[in-house]
Amino acid sequence: HVQLQQSAPGLVKTSQTLSLTCVIFRDSVSNNTAAWNWIRQSPSRGLEWLGRTYFRSRWNNDYSISLKSRITITPDTSKNHLSLHLDSVTPEDTAVYYCARETLGAFDVWGHGTLITVSS
Amino acid sequence: SNDLTQPPAVSVSPGQTATITCSGDNLGTKFASWYQQKAGQSPVLLIYQDNQRPSGIPERFSGSNSGNTATLTITGTQALDEADYYCQAWDSNAAYVFGTGTQVTVL
């Protein structure tokens, strides 16, 4: 079955860039029937969709409007993974970050989650 | 902010039926999905496209969606169904949104 392995938890300083990777096992980031998403969860904001990347003849990205100026999601076909970069973080970005596969409009495979704490 | 509203908590006796609602503008015109999340774990997909169950999800979980409300029903609730439940749909702002979450307690 498909598995998603996320990078380790960590501390990011305020105003710096949060970077995470999600390695895909037993599927392909280029799968043209799936999309690869980042979702985060915090007590204050609940579950929040951040954005996605997907391949349909060419690479496409969709991002949450509230994060569009700060977020980049990038696929890497050679490593079969996707990356998340979130610029200019604040303590409000403290959360558990998940990568998830999307098929048929739902998230059917989730990574184990990575706790990111933003602090000065 | 969340555009899908759920009751914060639902209590149910073992063997009884639990009903969890998810309300949003014209939600019935979109596909709704449901997830179960147990403490310390990642969410698990229970229902997609309003009423479809992925392979391996027990039949006691069912879904419906009409008007402004999607509903998750757990028939014959078991102690192991105690968890948080979230709805999710595609929003008109070209984004996915999740519900506020419902904690189900099996008394």
Side-chain angles (χ1 to χ4, degrees):
Chain A
H1 59 281
V2 178
Q3 287 187 314
L4 305 177
Q5 184 174 308
Q6 300 181 217
S7 40
L11 180 66
V12 182
K13 291 188 183 300
T14 300
S15 81
Q16 295 193 342
T17 296
L18 177 164
S19 298
L20 291 173
T21 59
C22 173
V23 182
I24 301 164
F25 294 92
R26 288 179 285 281
D27 200 344
S28 170
V29 71
S30 304
N31 181 346
N32 62 9
T33 64
W36 303 93
N37 293 254
W38 286 99
I39 295 160
R40 68 183 179 184
Q41 185 174 29
S42 64
S44 59
R45 304 170 75 93
L47 281 166
E48 180 184 10
W49 179 79
L50 305 182
R52 64 180 179 177
T53 189
Y54 57 100
F55 185 76
R56 303 288 187 270
S57 305
R58 64 178 180 88
W59 286 102
N60 299 272
N61 290 98
D62 296 312
Y63 298 125
S64 165
I65 289 175
S66 64
L67 295 173
K68 202 162 189 174
S69 63
R70 299 197 289 133
I71 188 172
T72 306
I73 296 175
T74 308
D76 185 325
T77 56
S78 66
K79 297 178 182 176
N80 202 33
H81 76 202
L82 64 155
S83 298
L84 167 69
H85 296 283
L86 186 64
D87 298 327
S88 306
V89 296
T90 72
E92 282 277 295
D93 295 310
T94 293
V96 175
Y97 286 74
Y98 295 99
C99 59
R101 186 181 76 171
E102 172 202 338
T103 59
L104 299 175
F107 306 110
D108 64 337
V109 181
W110 293 67
H112 50 76
T114 299
L115 175 61
I116 297 295
T117 303
V118 179
S119 173
S120 55
Chain B
S1 68
N2 285 306
D3 296 320
L4 298 178
T5 303
Q6 300 178 230
V10 166
S11 295
V12 59
S13 300
Q16 299 304 301
T17 296
T19 302
I20 305 166
T21 57
C22 172
S23 299
D25 288 345
N26 298 311
L27 183 55
T29 63
K30 309 162 193 174
F31 277 134
S33 303
W34 289 92
Y35 301 85
Q36 177 192 69
Q37 186 178 31
K38 296 185 177 180
Q41 298 182 18
S42 303
V44 172
L45 178 65
L46 294 177
I47 297 288
Y48 66 98
Q49 291 185 341
D50 295 339
N51 54 22
Q52 302 299 303
R53 271 189 318 276
S55 161
I57 299 301
E59 289 184 9
R60 66 178 182 276
F61 293 97
S62 62
S64 63
N65 187 13
S66 178
N68 295 319
T69 304
T71 302
L72 175 71
T73 303
I74 312 173
T75 305
T77 307
Q78 300 180 11
L80 56 83
D81 297 330
E82 200 161 88
D84 293 330
Y85 292 82
Y86 296 91
C87 59
Q88 168 252 315
W90 180 257
D91 177 77
S92 57
N93 289 321
Y96 282 113
V97 291
F98 288 91
T100 49
T102 299
Q103 183 177 55
V104 170
T105 302
V106 182
L107 298 170

